[in-house]
Amino acid sequence: MAEEIEEKNIVSEEDSEESLEEEIGFEDDEDSTGELSWKQKLILINSGVIAFLFCIVLLFPYEELARTYISKYASENNFVLEFRKLNLSFFSTKTIDHLIYQNKDNMEIRAESIDIDTSIFDLMKRNFKGNIKISSFNLELTDYAIKAGTVNIEDSSLIGFDRDLANINGTINLQIFDGKILRSPVIPMLDTLQGVTIKSILLSLKKTLNSNRLTIEKGVFTLSIAKITISGYIELSPVMKASKLDLKLCPKLTEKYSAEREDIASSLQLLTKDMPDGCI
């Protein structure tokens, strides 16, 4: 008799616990038939939607859209911009292979590869903040031609880079290594710079809004013939030749070049003899 009463009490307690769980919403994830609960179904649906959107991001033909847009924009603004391959990854470095740029002022830029570390959303808003690495860089102007093994733009930012000069603002930290001057016009006293090796060029530039002035906060040119420190500004013009320079130059010739061109070394001493810092 006592055992029957004890069994009834246990059953009653179990029924009470099940009733309480049902009242506060706790249920097994699967019912007795093995079907998924509504929570599991919701998780699976959300996972499927997220996976679908992720695939769209990865497989969307950004390169073709970008190529079409760039071609149209270049045509409207009278320049040529071509490239063999463009990778606009959302989650990693953007790359451009074999780029060619040409404008109406006979400027031509060629690069074997360009790695761009910035947000694609900033690029879509015509802004840039980040780093750029350019390999095998070539620049040709009417009178000059320069090549460089590597060009780096580090910790730089530009706002509105597709606008006219007055409405662009930002800072550029430029580094150029392993270069050479391939063509140069005749320069008084120096004759020509053709063949001069560019060991490195370090430039910190700043452009302010509503101004055509490009300020050179710091510039160091280390060449095979001299080391030149510069500062000042450039009043930019839509036509490059019409730009105006106001620069302070501090040249220091190498011993080898001073021995080869004593005339230039003597002239430089005369120019800087009254300048305590040796600048022009």
Side-chain angles (χ1 to χ4, degrees):
M1 186 70 177
E3 291 179 358
E4 291 180 1
I5 293 173
E6 187 176 351
E7 289 178 358
K8 289 181 179 180
N9 290 336
I10 293 173
V11 171
S12 178
E13 289 176 1
E14 290 178 350
D15 291 341
S16 298
E17 289 177 358
E18 291 177 358
S19 176
L20 180 61
E21 288 179 354
E22 291 177 359
E23 288 179 1
I24 62 177
F26 289 107
E27 297 179 355
D28 291 339
D29 287 341
E30 295 186 11
D31 59 22
S32 59
T33 62
E35 293 183 357
L36 297 176
S37 69
W38 66 270
K39 291 182 181 179
Q40 291 174 319
K41 292 178 180 178
L42 185 60
I43 291 172
L44 288 175
I45 292 172
N46 288 338
S47 299
V49 171
I50 292 172
F52 177 72
L53 294 176
F54 186 74
C55 288
I56 290 178
V57 170
L58 292 179
L59 300 177
F60 197 76
Y62 298 105
E63 178 179 341
E64 292 305 319
L65 288 177
R67 190 185 293 272
T68 301
Y69 172 79
I70 290 172
S71 177
K72 180 180 178 182
Y73 183 81
S75 177
E76 292 173 351
N77 291 273
N78 299 316
F79 67 86
V80 175
L81 184 61
E82 299 176 348
F83 48 87
R84 184 178 297 176
K85 186 177 180 181
L86 174 66
N87 176 23
L88 293 178
S89 172
F90 265 88
F91 309 106
S92 60
T93 301
K94 292 78 182 158
T95 59
I96 303 174
D97 290 340
H98 295 86
L99 177 136
I100 300 175
Y101 167 85
Q102 297 171 325
N103 68 11
K104 60 183 179 181
D105 296 322
N106 295 320
M107 174 191 286
E108 179 175 298
I109 296 174
R110 292 175 178 266
E112 183 176 317
S113 66
I114 303 175
D115 297 332
I116 305 172
D117 182 12
T118 189
S119 167
I120 197 169
F121 299 106
D122 283 340
L123 293 178
M124 292 170 66
K125 293 186 289 186
R126 313 299 192 273
N127 299 330
F128 170 81
K129 184 177 182 181
N131 306 305
I132 298 176
K133 181 178 180 180
I134 305 173
S135 299
S136 298
F137 173 84
N138 288 269
L139 170 65
E140 290 197 27
L141 303 171
T142 303
D143 298 321
Y144 287 91
I146 299 171
K147 72 173 184 177
T150 305
V151 176
N152 296 328
I153 299 174
E154 297 187 345
D155 299 324
S156 302
S157 63
L158 282 177
I159 298 176
F161 56 72
D162 68 329
R163 304 172 187 168
D164 57 79
L165 291 173
N167 292 313
I168 298 174
N169 70 97
T171 58
I172 298 176
N173 297 306
L174 180 67
Q175 302 173 347
I176 301 175
F177 300 102
D178 301 323
K180 192 171 186 178
I181 300 175
L182 303 177
R183 185 173 69 248
S184 163
V186 175
I187 300 172
M189 293 176 58
L190 292 176
D191 293 335
T192 179
L193 294 176
Q194 183 172 328
V196 170
T197 298
I198 301 171
K199 297 180 178 179
S200 67
I201 297 176
L202 307 177
L203 284 172
S204 294
L205 310 173
K206 184 176 182 180
K207 173 67 177 59
T208 55
L209 190 64
N210 298 323
S211 170
N212 286 337
R213 177 170 293 185
L214 179 66
T215 302
I216 302 175
E217 297 184 331
K218 183 180 180 181
V220 180
F221 291 68
T222 304
L223 311 176
S224 58
I225 62 173
K227 183 175 182 178
I228 306 170
T229 302
I230 69 171
S231 59
Y233 64 86
I234 304 172
E235 289 289 347
L236 297 172
S237 170
V239 179
M240 188 65 67
K241 287 185 176 181
S243 297
K244 298 178 180 179
L245 307 179
D246 188 351
L247 303 175
K248 179 181 180 181
L249 303 178
C250 305
K252 184 178 180 180
L253 302 180
T254 63
E255 292 183 5
K256 181 180 179 181
Y257 190 71
S258 295
E260 292 176 353
R261 297 296 304 268
E262 293 181 358
D263 56 330
I264 295 177
S266 299
S267 299
L268 189 59
Q269 286 181 351
L270 290 174
L271 287 173
T272 59
K273 69 176 183 178
D274 297 327
M275 306 293 181
D277 55 0
C279 299
I280 303 172

